[in-house]
Amino acid sequence: MIAKDNSEEIFPIVDEDGIVLGSATRGECHSGSKLLHPVVHLHLFDKDGKLYLQRRPEWKDIQPGKWDTAVGGHVDFGEKITAALHREAKEELGLEDFEEIFIASYVYESDREKELINAFRTVTDSSIEPTEELDGGRFWGLNEIRANLGKNIFTPNFEYEFINLLNSDVPSKKD
């Protein structure tokens, strides 16, 4: 059986400050309606300064098969942002014990959706075990990422964050 996203999952609808205004289903949010809904991203570095990226499964309804932020997921209706971040990290990578550092919140809009992204980073030496929610993942050297920007390998959202949020904030160790 091929997995797929639950189009009936309920997401909060928010304003640009993250104030909840209502709710809608995943299907409604991803239909081109541009209903603003919150998500979390975690940029996961190892102690050598390499950045872990996940490969999105082919069954995903948004950006299938592309490399993306280590952890990314929707905030459930009624859920706090950091609770969603820790839930998604456990669900996607088996990662439980980490201290998140807030980077930024911003609105990202594609042709199908509009998200209020809450981006975080952390450094880990824990073993990473991608779950069946992902199509694997690995640590990338920062120069390897830079060399592949704009080649349709990464999600546009990851490229935006790498260039605009992480580039001045990445560990300075040479890769």
Side-chain angles (χ1 to χ4, degrees), residues 5 26 30 39-41 52-74 88 92 112-113 115 130-138 140 153-158:
D5 287 318
R26 173 192 289 268
H30 290 183
V39 300
V40 291
H41 287 176
Y52 189 90
L53 299 181
Q54 63 160 274
R55 187 165 186 279
R56 295 177 62 79
E58 293 295 335
W59 53 262
K60 293 300 282 181
D61 64 346
I62 303 284
Q63 298 292 325
K66 299 233 178 124
W67 289 92
D68 201 1
T69 309
V71 173
H74 291 91
E88 288 288 344
E92 294 183 355
R112 290 187 54 192
E113 66 176 335
E115 298 176 323
T131 67
E132 68 282 348
E133 283 196 23
L134 309 179
D135 192 16
R138 69 177 178 90
W140 293 61
I153 292 170
F154 307 118
T155 64
N157 195 202
F158 168 74

Side-chain angles (χ1 to χ4, degrees), residues 148-166:
N148 285 289
L149 292 172
K151 295 183 178 177
N152 207 28
I153 292 170
F154 307 118
T155 64
N157 195 202
F158 168 74
E159 288 195 358
Y160 173 86
E161 289 189 11
F162 185 79
I163 293 165
N164 295 290
L165 301 181
L166 293 179

Side-chain angles (χ1 to χ4, degrees), residues 76-93:
D76 291 336
F77 189 77
E79 188 176 36
K80 300 281 186 207
I81 298 298
T82 55
L85 183 71
H86 283 264
R87 174 182 51 78
E88 288 288 344
K90 183 176 180 183
E91 287 176 4
E92 294 183 355
L93 300 178

